[in-house]
Amino acid sequence: MALLSSHKPTGQSAGKPTGTPSGKPAGAAPGKLPGLAMAAAGVGLAWSVHWLVPAVPMLTAAVVLGIAAAHLPVVRPRVRGLGKPGLTLAGKRLMRIGIVLLGLKLSLDDVLGLGWATVAMVLAVVAATFSGTLWLGRRLGLRGDQPLLIATGYSICGASAIGAVSEVSGSDEEDVATSVALVTLCGTLAIAVLPLLHHPLGLDDAQFGRWVGAGVHDVGQVVATAQTAGPAALGDAVLVKLMRVALLAPLVAAVAVSVRNRRRAAVAVEADGNASDEVGAVAGAAGTGEAGAAGAGASAQTAGKRPPLVPLFVLGFLAMVAVRTTGLVPGSALDVAQHAQELLLAAALFGLGSAVHLPTLTRTGGRVAALGLCSWVVIAGASYGGVLLTT
């Protein structure tokens, strides 16, 4: 900021404001266009990869291409420079819209049709995976919000869940990108590994589908894995998977409550500290008054940043579930919404992938990989046992 303020653009009048009426620089909006164009190009490439190799989901390809773009010498300067504002916008805003549209895939009637035993199994698997991954990630000493984000991605719905939780937790962009990369990698491996275990584990087609739906992270990865066992397996896999997706809303709300409580506690501690300083400096009443006012203003500002108990995009997700449950939405509209949701999430995941910095990832790569492997074993084992008990 100091450099910007010390050099005035040629031809610019010193007496005229340099920003827009809203206070933003005049070029702020156009500055996002190059990154959004890169995200669109990434989506096109991801679609091409999926078209050429149908076993590779478009969302998985989008993440990988984003990571590649951030490290290829030819395009890396543009991705990390000119394109960064737009790619960041894609990773956040487009992710929210995609999550809202994801709700149109879920009907409460379909979920309840699987039976209460399956509902209980899904709840148990999600709870075991989330709590176990979160505990182990903290024990391994992973940085920032990585344990929370990885636990969310494994237990709910991969990168979409990570994006949703990161919105209310205020997670660091690098933590988000690392978590997305890990969950995407393990989900991609599941496409190749789980079909090999179908018959050795003694599962029929319907059981295999439910196991995949309960144990694989992303919806696209579930489809790619379950379709190897036929339409019956695919149908059950998608329904069980969408039951896990339905748990996204309460999980995000719980994280929001936790963040609000932490910030409220921080405000209380800060207020106590200001009060102690004021008591200890009674002699300097005027100065203390200014400090107390400043402290109160800081506390009010911090309190004003508390996230809502239920973020707007989660309410949108629930609204779409309700709309789908009515049965009034025509199939053609659902198809359009599904394509739009996939394109939006692909653009968002390309943006998140472009934020991955592999040299940084390698410094904690061993611990991150260990957490991913252990969490994968937990969710696969818990969902396998749950399927055997409920079918």
Side-chain angles (χ1 to χ4, degrees):
M1 295 300 295
L3 292 175
L4 291 174
S5 62
S6 62
H7 295 280
K8 183 170 60 180
T10 304
Q12 177 179 309
S13 173
K16 293 183 180 180
T18 60
T20 61
S22 63
K24 295 182 180 180
K32 296 181 175 63
L33 294 179
L36 291 174
M38 292 178 189
V43 171
L45 289 174
W47 180 87
S48 300
V49 170
H50 176 63
W51 182 73
L52 292 171
V53 188
V56 179
M58 185 171 69
L59 301 186
T60 300
V63 175
V64 174
L65 288 171
I67 296 173
H71 293 84
L72 290 176
V74 177
V75 296
R76 179 177 59 200
R78 295 178 177 85
V79 169
R80 297 197 180 277
L82 182 66
K84 187 173 178 60
L87 290 170
T88 300
L89 177 69
K92 293 183 178 180
R93 303 289 183 179
L94 299 186
M95 176 70 76
R96 294 178 186 177
I97 302 173
I99 290 169
V100 170
L101 293 178
L102 186 62
L104 285 175
K105 288 188 173 183
L106 182 62
S107 169
L108 294 180
D109 294 335
D110 293 337
V111 171
L112 296 178
L114 290 174
W116 289 107
T118 301
V119 173
M121 181 269 288
V122 171
L123 289 172
V125 169
V126 168
T129 304
F130 181 82
S131 59
T133 304
L134 183 61
W135 176 83
L136 182 59
R138 289 173 174 169
R139 290 296 299 269
L140 289 173
L142 294 186
R143 53 161 283 177
D145 285 337
Q146 285 182 1
L148 170 65
L149 298 176
I150 294 172
T152 301
Y154 269 85
S155 59
I156 303 294
C157 55
S160 301
I162 291 174
V165 168
S166 68
E167 290 292 328
V168 297
S169 63
S171 301
D172 180 75
E173 184 178 352
E174 188 175 320
D175 289 346
V176 176
T178 299
S179 303
V180 167
L182 175 67
V183 172
T184 300
L185 173 62
C186 290
T188 304
L189 291 176
I191 298 173
V193 173
L194 265 60
L196 300 177
L197 301 176
H198 178 183
H199 296 296
L201 291 178
L203 299 173
D204 61 29
D205 289 348
Q207 289 176 322
F208 177 74
R210 295 190 179 199
W211 183 46
V212 171
V216 179
H217 317 315
D218 183 79
V219 176
Q221 295 162 348
V222 167
V223 172
T225 306
Q227 57 86 27
T228 61
L234 179 58
D236 278 6
V238 171
L239 284 178
V240 171
K241 175 61 190 174
L242 292 179
M243 290 175 62
R244 289 168 61 196
V245 173
L247 298 176
L248 177 62
L251 177 62
V252 172
V255 172
V257 170
S258 176
V259 172
R260 284 170 62 95
N261 290 339
R262 287 202 307 268
R263 291 181 180 176
R264 185 182 294 115
V267 169
V269 170
E270 183 180 356
D272 290 342
N274 290 333
S276 299
D277 292 341
E278 186 173 351
V279 170
V282 174
T288 304
E290 293 175 1
S299 300
Q301 183 180 7
T302 305
K305 294 181 180 179
R306 294 173 186 165
L309 289 178
V310 182
L312 185 60
F313 70 91
V314 175
L315 292 177
F317 171 85
L318 294 175
M320 293 300 101
V321 173
V323 168
R324 175 62 188 273
T325 302
T326 65
L328 299 177
V329 184
S332 58
L334 292 176
D335 290 339
V336 170
Q338 178 177 346
H339 290 308
Q341 174 244 322
E342 289 177 349
L343 293 174
L344 288 168
L345 289 182
L349 292 177
F350 182 87
L352 288 175
S354 69
V356 173
H357 189 234
L358 291 179
T360 301
L361 181 60
T362 57
R363 288 197 286 270
T364 57
R367 287 174 291 163
V368 170
L371 177 61
L373 178 60
C374 291
S375 185
W376 198 13
V377 170
V378 168
I379 194 170
S383 57
Y384 176 69
V387 167
L388 293 182
L389 290 173
T390 57
T391 55

